[in-house]
Amino acid sequence: MATYLFYDTIRLNPSAGGVLNVSAVLLESMRASPDDRVQAVSERHPRIYEAARRLGISRFVLDTLLYNFHRARAWVTGEQLFSLFPNYFLPFAPLGRHRDSIVVVHDLQYKAYPQYFPAHKRGWLDWNLRRVSRSAADVVFISRSSQDDFERHFARCERTSVIFNPVDTSAGAARTAGASGNAGRYLIAAYHYYPHKNFAGILALFERMKRHGLVDYLDITGNGAAEVQRMVARMAPALRHCVRHRGLVSRDALLGLYRGATAFISLSTFEGFNLSAAEAATLGVPLLLSDIPVHRELFAGYGLLIGIEAAEKAEAGNLEEIARYLEGHRRARPAWLHARDCTPGAVAARYLTLKRSRAPSMTGAMQ
């Protein structure tokens, strides 16, 4: 039986956003494996982890210390040990190319929007991703689009896989249609405010859909209420009360909002995966999405892809296409093609298979 150490030290960085949620679901689903032992670093070393949290020690420092300790220990004991790093960082090691490791690369947003990242952060990411590209680790990309972005800037990795993010929609209380107080037809935009999320475009399209009689409200969840309200203040007075920013909501409430929505909307100009859209699609909700590479990869044939400029203008022809799509979806109730691929169990199995086929030659690997 192999042991996988899952470096959940990413929790020391609470600003990691959606990566934290994905990592938590992946860890829990991998634990269910009957053939492997999966353990979080924070559980194997609770005192060290707690001290790092209390003292503000960087996860990069902690990962490096623990990884090298466990590599040396496995070499002495012969333990079959693999390490999984859920967000781009491979610890520094005096010897070896991380053949015993799996590392996940989510996206290269800093390349698409360098203006939102300070120079030192861009330099740090460049250096670490270049190290990833030259390593012998199993490098996992969360979409083919994300891999394409990576290979545009860095060398092709020795061992790569595309494994979609796990999508967990299993909260029981969310099986009712919608959340309480959600009278009327509404669009749901379930993500935090970031410039690339294009809330201005969402508001513009909602306004025209509202005037065309397609929806009544726009519901928004997550952080960023102040930024959204500043944009809403520029809308016509009669429309302002139709945008409801609900802030951070419980998991059950969020899934209820998905289920009761006329459609999920995301007009992002960049995504590595779009977990919120995948959650909505898993629940059978129609999707109105920007026409960007990852949306084409994941949701073509299920969602309606709209050019960003066309969405912002939303002329009569565009609105008629949206109306036809929504009606056709309501009648056909199609299933999302990748729903099964994204179940937590299926995703966990893909991760565990990466090393299982090479397990005999990996024991105590120090290459």
Side-chain angles (χ1 to χ4, degrees):
M1 176 178 286
T3 297
Y4 288 79
L5 272 186
F6 192 107
Y7 280 72
D8 63 335
T9 48
I10 190 175
R11 294 192 292 124
L12 295 173
N13 179 19
S15 64
V19 176
L20 291 173
N21 297 331
V22 169
S23 298
V25 173
L26 178 59
L27 172 59
E28 289 308 308
S29 55
M30 289 180 68
R31 286 183 199 272
S33 168
D35 302 314
D36 303 281
R37 181 180 181 223
V38 179
Q39 188 174 22
V41 163
S42 64
E43 294 174 356
R44 181 171 280 204
H45 302 284
R47 293 183 180 177
I48 294 175
Y49 178 86
E50 180 56 29
R53 187 196 63 78
R54 188 173 62 253
L55 297 174
I57 296 173
S58 165
R59 74 176 178 97
F60 308 120
V61 173
L62 188 58
D63 284 3
T64 297
L65 293 174
L66 292 178
Y67 174 69
N68 283 285
F69 166 75
H70 281 290
R71 287 179 79 240
R73 184 176 179 274
W75 184 75
V76 171
T77 64
E79 180 184 14
Q80 192 176 97
L81 182 69
F82 304 120
S83 298
L84 194 156
F85 302 97
N87 193 24
Y88 84 81
F89 179 71
L90 284 175
F92 311 112
L95 296 171
R97 298 181 58 229
H98 299 89
R99 291 184 183 278
D100 59 352
S101 302
I102 301 170
V103 61
V104 186
V105 176
H106 289 263
D107 61 62
L108 272 68
Q109 186 185 136
Y110 81 104
K111 289 293 190 184
Y113 290 97
Q115 65 270 35
Y116 301 124
F117 294 81
H120 71 274
K121 178 68 172 180
R122 298 196 305 271
W124 169 256
L125 290 167
D126 274 344
W127 186 51
N128 278 282
L129 292 176
R130 193 170 292 111
R131 291 176 59 243
V132 166
S133 72
R134 295 170 178 170
S135 76
D138 283 275
V139 183
V140 175
F141 297 96
I142 60 172
S143 65
R144 183 68 61 190
S145 300
S146 186
Q147 181 177 359
D148 290 344
D149 286 344
F150 183 94
E151 291 178 357
R152 253 194 311 273
H153 298 283
F154 304 100
R156 184 185 295 269
C157 303
E158 182 177 315
R159 298 181 61 85
T160 63
S161 299
V162 173
I163 305 177
F164 295 152
N165 280 336
V167 179
D168 184 10
T169 57
S170 60
R175 296 191 181 278
T176 56
S180 59
N182 271 14
R185 303 161 299 168
Y186 62 92
L187 300 177
I188 177 68
Y191 29 83
H192 303 307
Y193 174 87
Y194 293 106
H196 71 278
K197 294 294 186 181
N198 191 19
F199 276 90
I202 292 170
L203 291 171
L205 180 56
F206 163 69
E207 181 176 355
R208 288 160 178 79
M209 289 180 67
K210 166 77 172 173
R211 295 187 186 280
H212 204 67
L214 297 178
V215 289
D216 303 308
Y217 299 99
L218 169 64
D219 278 12
I220 302 171
T221 66
N223 295 322
E227 290 87 350
V228 172
Q229 287 305 319
R230 281 196 289 270
M231 290 186 284
V232 170
R234 297 194 288 270
M235 299 176 70
L239 292 172
R240 292 172 192 166
H241 74 282
C242 299
V243 179
R244 306 181 292 203
H245 199 294
R246 297 179 175 272
L248 296 172
V249 300
S250 71
R251 185 65 182 163
D252 276 2
L254 176 59
L255 297 181
L257 284 166
Y258 284 144
R259 289 181 180 277
T262 298
F264 172 91
I265 184 168
S266 173
L267 300 181
S268 297
T269 56
F270 175 86
E271 292 285 351
F273 182 81
N274 202 334
L275 182 61
S276 298
E279 290 172 340
T282 299
L283 294 171
V285 180
L287 305 180
L288 303 178
L289 303 174
S290 51
D291 189 3
I292 59 176
V294 75
H295 287 164
R296 292 195 292 272
E297 176 185 352
L298 293 174
F299 305 110
Y302 180 90
L304 179 63
L305 303 182
I306 310 168
I308 292 174
E309 290 186 6
E312 292 174 350
K313 294 178 181 177
E315 298 171 349
N318 303 118
L319 294 172
E320 290 170 5
E321 182 183 15
I322 291 173
R324 288 193 300 271
Y325 164 72
L326 294 176
E327 177 60 21
H329 194 285
R330 185 187 67 80
R331 290 181 177 179
R333 298 186 179 277
W336 179 40
L337 177 64
H338 296 296
R340 183 174 297 180
D341 300 330
C342 291
T343 59
V347 172
R350 289 284 312 279
Y351 273 89
L352 292 168
T353 300
L354 291 175
K355 294 301 187 186
R356 191 171 293 150
S357 61
R358 298 197 303 138
S361 64
M362 292 295 298
T363 304
M366 295 292 286
Q367 293 101 316

